[in-house]
Amino acid sequence: MTKKEDELTWKDLEIGAVITEPGNASQYRTGDWRTQKPVHDFSRCIKCGLCMIYCPEACRFQNKEGYFEADLFYCKGCGICYRECPTMVITMEEE
Amino acid sequence: MAQRVGMEVSVAIGEIVKLANTDVVSAYPITPQTHIVEHLAELVADGELDAEYIPVESEHSAMSACLGSAATGARTFTATAGQGLELMHEVLYVASSMRLPIVMTVANRALSSPLSVWSDHSDAMACRDTGWIQIFVENGQEAVDNTLCAFRIAEDNNVLLPVMIHLDGFHVSHVIEPILLPEQSQVDAFLPKNNYPLPLDTDKPVAMGDFGPPVIYTEAKWAQEVNLRKSKETILKVWQEFGKSFSRYYKPVECYRCEDADTLLLTMGSYSETAMTTIDKMRGEGKKIGLIRIRLWRPFPFEEFRQAVKDIKTLIVLDRAISFGGPGGPVCSEIRSALYSQNNRPEIVSFIGGLGGRDITVAGFEEIINSGMEIAETGSDNEFEIFGVRE
Ligand code: SF4
Ligand code: SF4
């Protein structure tokens, strides 16, 4: 699919809205459900990866320095990473 | 040449489904549809029809099996009636929105309770928003012809929609009529192979009936609506070509003695044939009365309908279903809204009758027409008139 989902017109859909491209759920922006987002103070981070393991969206990725950030395209703002982080790196901030 | 043979209409429908080389039949027996699926089961068991017959435990499963079958590109048929159609209800929407060309005979039956196996149109009308093409027939020959047409309409790649053929339970399904069945070669020439464009195929996998978040649902529904409205072009073309091949022509709105009429009665289904006799009688008495029947209920033939009633003074509509607590019969309320925007619209009088198999005789139709004409003059405070109820 060359167009983003919010650019697709009704004429772009396959008959019966059949999906012909595998994995296109990755284009689904779950991030727009969010009312809060995680913000990080990585000075306390021990890189244990618990936040990544517990994230229900599997949207936490390791950056170049090895810290775990949230991909805000998918992050639903559930706050589980904030709850699970043993060193309180994460705080939830209103959008 | 095809021979005219006396047979039960249900059996004739089974025969035309066989002639159409149907690949899959999945159905659950329910009165008054039973003889259709029984006959098909026999044909498959006797090896006369090389099809997969899937017996199921309910109509919900029957329609679900039809989804899977049609999705593989197999020619798929089922039949039901009344409560069975209601049990399928949620799956009907899936069939149309997934654009699966399934053909289904509905032997129209009243809905419980009280339990009734007899005919009216309450089951058919409850399906009017499901996105299926709905065609009403009046007798056995029309049922056979339109079942054949239904496969071609449904599977046309410009359509790809499921089609219901509505025939009145018992009054059509169980009568023995002279039926002209086509030859196999004629059917083969008329009905091309099913060529479903995006079938389930392990070499080219697709996902069907998937999740549609708010960002795409409106587009999906609009695509469906545009397609159903546009299907009328193909329906007209298929009926035209059927006429050329078999010399029997079908139209979305059928007129009977409508020329120079100032009053028209509107009916759907088998009671139209009795109504014609009444029209003949009243025409004989010099009254300018005609009959119109809506054959194509979905997509609704707005253009043809408006054209058919543009010069008349009074339109008397008979519904065989009640929209409880609503504006009257479902057919009449749609007709009122179809005509509201028109400058020269007739007086419209709404009658509901023929519920749960209650007969309307020739004299009964005469009474409906006469009191309809009177109400058109004097007006009425009622949303609709109920015909034949004992006070
Ligand atoms: S807030 Fe929830 S969704 Fe977002 S990164 Fe944390 S755990 Fe994942
Ligand atoms: S859970 Fe906390 S400490 Fe562990 S990697 Fe995530 S942010 Fe760092």
Side-chain angles (χ1 to χ4, degrees):
Chain A
M1 224 181 283
T2 45
K3 287 186 185 174
K4 290 210 211 88
E5 57 174 15
D6 57 359
E7 290 169 356
L8 283 175
T9 73
W10 65 272
K11 288 182 188 155
D12 295 322
L13 300 180
E14 295 282 2
I15 53 151
V18 162
I19 294 169
T20 51
E21 189 190 337
N24 77 345
S26 65
Q27 293 167 28
Y28 181 28
R29 181 191 291 272
T30 46
D32 61 1
W33 303 0
R34 196 174 56 231
T35 57
Q36 291 186 318
K37 66 174 182 206
V39 290
H40 310 86
D41 174 5
F42 288 124
S43 64
R44 286 203 291 271
C45 177
I46 55 169
K47 300 183 180 170
C48 66
L50 280 176
C51 56
M52 184 265 290
I53 290 165
Y54 279 104
C55 172
E57 273 303 306
C59 75
R60 296 189 68 87
F61 63 96
Q62 242 175 331
N63 66 17
K64 272 194 258 90
E65 290 87 49
Y67 296 121
F68 290 87
E69 288 184 52
D71 181 341
L72 295 178
F73 186 85
Y74 302 114
C75 167
K76 295 193 281 198
C78 65
I80 289 174
C81 53
Y82 151 77
R83 176 79 168 69
E84 296 299 334
C85 173
T87 57
M88 300 179 74
V89 168
I90 303 167
T91 46
M92 297 303 287
E93 197 175 82
E94 234 160 85
E95 289 270 16
Chain B
M1 261 306 278
Q3 292 275 317
R4 203 180 284 271
V5 181
M7 66 175 95
E8 188 188 322
V9 172
S10 290
V11 171
I13 292 168
E15 288 294 322
I16 195 71
V17 170
K18 180 190 105 177
L19 286 164
N21 268 319
T22 299
D23 298 309
V24 175
V25 178
S26 180
Y28 189 83
I30 180 169
T31 304
Q33 149 269 31
T34 313
H35 293 180
I36 302 171
V37 295
E38 267 178 8
H39 187 61
L40 280 164
E42 257 168 39
L43 290 172
V44 173
D46 293 348
E48 285 187 50
L49 170 60
D50 179 19
E52 200 66 48
Y53 191 97
I54 311 175
V56 281
E57 78 286 7
S58 76
E59 287 83 356
H60 191 280
S61 304
M63 185 46 63
S64 301
C66 287
L67 298 185
S69 159
T72 66
R75 180 163 289 159
T76 305
F77 176 83
T78 187
T80 192
Q83 304 301 128
L85 186 60
E86 287 302 295
L87 186 51
M88 281 180 181
H89 198 78
E90 62 155 329
V91 196
L92 298 177
Y93 286 88
V94 183
S96 59
S97 50
M98 281 170 60
R99 306 275 304 273
L100 297 173
I102 298 160
V103 173
M104 173 158 69
T105 305
V106 178
N108 300 325
R109 166 177 163 176
L111 296 174
S112 291
S113 126
L115 191 146
S116 169
V117 295
W118 293 274
S119 156
D120 71 23
H121 296 167
S122 42
D123 56 352
M125 290 301 150
C127 295
R128 65 184 166 155
D129 295 334
T130 58
W132 283 56
I133 292 171
Q134 289 179 280
I135 294 169
F136 275 73
V137 299
E138 294 156 18
N139 58 44
Q141 190 65 55
E142 292 187 5
V144 167
D145 293 352
N146 280 282
T147 304
L148 180 57
C149 289
F151 284 109
R152 179 142 161 203
I153 293 165
E155 292 167 7
D156 189 300
N157 278 3
N158 290 317
V159 177
L160 298 172
L161 284 171
V163 181
M164 280 182 216
I165 301 295
H166 291 279
L167 51 100
D168 291 338
F170 294 114
H171 288 105
V172 179
S173 64
H174 282 55
V175 293
I176 294 173
E177 285 188 31
I179 303 280
L180 212 49
L181 276 177
E183 299 287 346
Q184 187 65 62
S185 58
Q186 290 177 295
V187 173
D188 294 345
F190 177 73
L191 183 63
K193 280 202 161 36
N194 185 9
N195 181 26
Y196 191 67
L198 273 175
L200 291 176
D201 175 353
T202 46
D203 291 332
K204 212 172 144 242
V206 296
M208 293 179 170
D210 226 298
F211 186 59
V215 71
I216 214 69
Y217 190 83
T218 308
E219 282 67 25
K221 290 294 114 176
W222 181 242
Q224 187 184 345
E225 166 67 0
V226 169
N227 173 65
L228 177 57
R229 280 180 189 268
K230 210 166 70 69
S231 71
K232 197 181 83 180
E233 288 167 25
T234 306
I235 298 168
L236 297 183
K237 197 187 82 193
V238 170
W239 275 337
Q240 200 58 35
E241 285 179 23
F242 181 88
K244 273 191 222 143
S245 307
F246 298 95
S247 305
R248 289 185 296 280
Y249 288 87
Y250 294 100
K251 296 196 214 78
V253 176
E254 304 275 8
C255 297
Y256 182 72
R257 305 192 74 170
C258 293
E259 60 294 344
D260 79 356
D262 47 33
T263 298
L264 291 182
L265 173 67
L266 187 150
T267 53
M268 284 163 74
S270 62
Y271 283 18
S272 309
E273 301 211 325
T274 313
M276 284 180 207
T277 311
T278 307
I279 301 295
D280 289 343
K281 177 170 181 282
M282 296 179 83
R283 277 278 181 180
E285 294 157 2
K287 297 187 175 125
K288 290 186 166 178
I289 291 170
L291 176 73
I292 61 170
R293 294 106 70 202
I294 297 180
R295 179 179 303 292
L296 182 62
W297 175 239
R298 283 292 184 276
F300 190 86
F302 288 97
E303 222 177 296
E304 292 83 353
F305 173 71
R306 286 174 183 146
Q307 185 64 26
V309 301
K310 71 177 185 352
D311 296 323
I312 62 162
K313 290 205 199 80
T314 308
L315 179 62
I316 302 164
V317 181
L318 174 73
D319 263 282
R320 293 187 64 199
I322 302 184
S323 167
F324 296 105
V331 177
C332 192
S333 75
E334 294 211 1
I335 271 157
R336 283 190 175 122
S337 70
L339 294 179
Y340 187 75
S341 60
Q342 306 298 296
N343 291 329
N344 288 321
R345 55 173 191 261
E347 281 297 323
I348 300 167
V349 186
S350 169
F351 278 89
I352 293 180
L355 299 179
R358 178 78 64 91
D359 275 335
I360 302 180
T361 59
V362 174
F365 275 113
E366 197 169 357
E367 203 183 318
I368 289 175
I369 294 169
N370 285 332
S371 61
M373 290 196 295
E374 208 179 297
I375 292 165
E377 290 287 322
T378 58
S380 166
D381 293 336
N382 302 333
E383 300 296 341
F384 65 90
E385 315 298 322
I386 180 100
F387 176 74
V389 78
R390 287 184 297 277
E391 294 288 348

